[in-house]
Amino acid sequence: MKNIVVLVSGGGTNLQALIDAEKRGEIKGGKITCVISSKEGAYALERAAQNGIKGIVLPRKDYADSHEYSKAMLETLQAENADIIVYAGFMTILDEQVCRAYPYKMVNVHPALIPSFCGKGYYGLKVHEEALARGVKVTGATVHFVTEVCDGGPIILQKAVEIQNGDTPEILQRRVMEQAEWKILPKAVSLLCEDKIRIENGVAYAEE
Ligand code: GAR
């Protein structure tokens, strides 16, 4: 069984989707062993506690810069014997120290169809505001490997979601979560735990 460590910063609905999938036996070959939050008081920590999962707070604000924070995160991940690391609404960028220590072992869920509406500055509700402002008719979510390039690692799974007349960023965010994120994140994590993802020339291929 691989140790899955989930990184969070907020409400943790994606963490909840992972916990629920694990309970249904849908995370094959892995177990959520620890949740690390970059923010004190994140509701995601409550969800971890309610499910008997160890929670650790590593506040981003306690560290001078990304390098120092990444160093502390790497030490924590190693102490927790992390095999697979999942960014589930984790709003902090970790530098190459962490990415290089876990090549193709870290995944992120992004609330858009990469390469649209992604990269530095595109996170949370902002992504949906931009999609609506641009007037796209289809958006969605992406699960991809985390590399040194923000939202730039190989894409594992994507799912499209239609935009409807009258959508607000909040309504769209919820639909993208329900129809896409909460489905593809547990699936991608399970595939990774089962070693069913291969990389060729920088492209990820998932065996269904
Ligand atoms: C999710 O929509 C996730 O895709 C997004 O933040 C939300 C977190 O919700 N992540 C990013 O924008 C990362 N770039 P959650 O805490 O309820 O899972």
Side-chain angles (χ1 to χ4, degrees), residues 111-126:
L113 294 173
I114 289 175
S116 290
F117 310 111
C118 66
K120 215 161 181 271
Y122 283 94
Y123 58 86
L125 213 50
K126 173 90 179 150

Side-chain angles (χ1 to χ4, degrees), residues 56-106:
I56 295 175
V57 186
L58 199 62
R60 175 64 182 85
K61 63 174 177 49
D62 289 359
Y63 295 84
D65 54 30
S66 172
H67 185 78
E68 288 305 310
Y69 187 69
S70 299
K71 193 165 162 249
M73 179 62 82
L74 182 56
E75 284 166 6
T76 309
L77 291 169
Q78 287 168 341
E80 292 302 320
N81 293 313
D83 296 311
I84 303 291
I85 298 149
V86 183
Y87 288 40
F90 183 61
M91 301 304 188
T92 300
I93 294 173
L94 300 172
D95 73 9
E96 69 281 353
Q97 302 171 74
V98 185
C99 302
R100 284 182 195 158
Y102 295 99
Y104 301 121
K105 299 293 177 207
M106 298 201 293

Side-chain angles (χ1 to χ4, degrees), residues 11-14 89 91 109-111 122-124 177 181:
T13 65
N14 279 288
M91 301 304 188
V109 60
H110 183 77
Y122 283 94
Y123 58 86
M177 284 174 158
E181 295 185 48

Side-chain angles (χ1 to χ4, degrees), residues 119-161:
K120 215 161 181 271
Y122 283 94
Y123 58 86
L125 213 50
K126 173 90 179 150
V127 177
H128 305 291
E129 285 167 6
E130 293 292 327
L132 290 174
R134 186 64 184 81
V136 294
K137 308 305 175 212
V138 175
T139 183
T142 303
V143 179
H144 64 92
F145 282 112
V146 177
T147 62
E148 288 155 56
V149 181
C150 180
D151 293 334
I155 292 166
I156 303 168
L157 294 176
Q158 290 189 304
K159 192 163 191 295
V161 173

